[in-house]
Every structure is written in C-alpha cells, then in structure tokens.
C-alpha cells in the first residue's frame, strides 16, 4: 500500500533553512508528479512546488521562487523541499501529494492530487 511520510519540519529563525522530505513506500513514484502544499489554520491549502518524477521538471509558486528548491532521490524514492531565506509567513503545515497530471496549471490545484501525506509543521520565528 502506498504511503507518503513527510519529515524535517521544525522551528527555525527568520532567514534560516530547512529540508523537508517526502518518502514514499509501497510503490515507485515513476508515474507521478509530486506536489508540495502548505496550509495555515483557517486558510486553504496553498501550492508551493511540484516536480515530475521521471523528468525532474519543476514549477514553483511565485512566493517561494528563488528560495525553495524541490529535488528527488530516485534510489530512496524520496522527494525533498529545501527551504531557505525563510520568513514568518512561511510558517505552515507542509504536505506532499501525488498526481498523475502534469501541466503547469493543474499541478497548482489541490483537487488534482489524489494521495496526501500527513504533513510536517514548519514554524519560522521573527
């Protein structure tokens, strides 16, 4: 059974960095696009970044472009989200998710994704 497990969240000061991991088990990710989303209480999930597993093509939300980087380790069946130059506004629960769709538009939409991890909390202090 496919499972996604995020890790790497924590408390960091503004300007700091974190690496989030999304480890998949039970199935290879070769046919998927992996998306990262974040959510704060009372708000809808917000697209952060996405990457195709096969080609490594990636897209980013404008709010994180140049600060966040998505990558993958094929051998470990794991996707990473490197967060740098963090701001208090980046505080949220970050989740990874899978979709078989890939267009620069659909990968930004929550309902495009059919499988979600449980999320990991990132808190950035000012």
């Amino acid at each position: 059974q496919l499972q996604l497990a995020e890790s790497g969240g924590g408390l960091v000061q503004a300007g700091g960095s974190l690496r989030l991991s999304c480890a998949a088990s039970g199935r290879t990710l070769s046919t998927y696009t992996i998306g990262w989303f974040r959510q704060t209480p009372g708000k809808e999930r917000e697209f952060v970044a996405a990457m195709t597993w096969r080609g490594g093509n990636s897209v980013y939300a404008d709010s994180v472009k140049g600060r966040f980087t998505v990558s993958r380790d094929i051998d470990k069946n794991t996707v990473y989200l490197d967060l740098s130059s963090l701001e208090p506004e980046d505080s949220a629960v970050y989740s990874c998710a899978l979709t078989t769709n890939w267009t620069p538009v659909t990968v930004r939409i929550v309902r495009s994704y059919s499988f979600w991890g449980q999320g990991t909390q990132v808190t950035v202090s000012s």
Side-chain angles (χ1 to χ4, degrees):
Q1 183 177 354
L2 176 63
Q3 290 186 327
L4 297 177
E6 298 98 331
S7 61
L11 174 63
V12 63
Q13 288 187 331
S17 301
L18 282 174
R19 165 169 272 200
L20 307 184
S21 300
C22 173
S25 60
R27 189 181 302 174
T28 178
L29 296 177
S30 62
T31 60
Y32 290 101
T33 294
I34 300 88
W36 283 96
F37 289 79
R38 64 188 182 186
Q39 188 172 26
T40 54
K43 294 188 176 181
E44 295 184 351
R45 271 175 171 155
E46 175 191 15
F47 171 76
V48 175
M51 168 175 275
T52 60
W53 186 259
R54 279 184 174 164
N57 301 307
S58 58
V59 294
Y60 298 89
D62 288 343
S63 60
V64 306
K65 197 174 296 182
R67 301 189 298 123
F68 292 7
T69 303
V70 61
S71 62
R72 72 198 189 290
D73 186 322
I74 294 174
D75 292 336
K76 294 182 178 180
N77 217 32
T78 298
V79 176
Y80 302 100
L81 183 67
D82 288 303
L83 291 64
S84 63
S85 302
L86 282 163
E87 304 165 353
E89 293 73 24
D90 295 316
S91 297
V93 174
Y94 285 72
S95 301
C96 59
L98 304 181
T99 178
T100 54
N101 297 314
W102 172 260
T103 77
V105 173
T106 60
V107 293
R108 301 170 186 268
I109 302 173
V110 171
R111 65 177 182 270
S112 297
Y113 292 80
S114 56
F115 197 85
W116 293 81
Q118 83 288 351
T120 185
Q121 176 71 49
V122 171
T123 303
V124 184
S125 62
S126 58

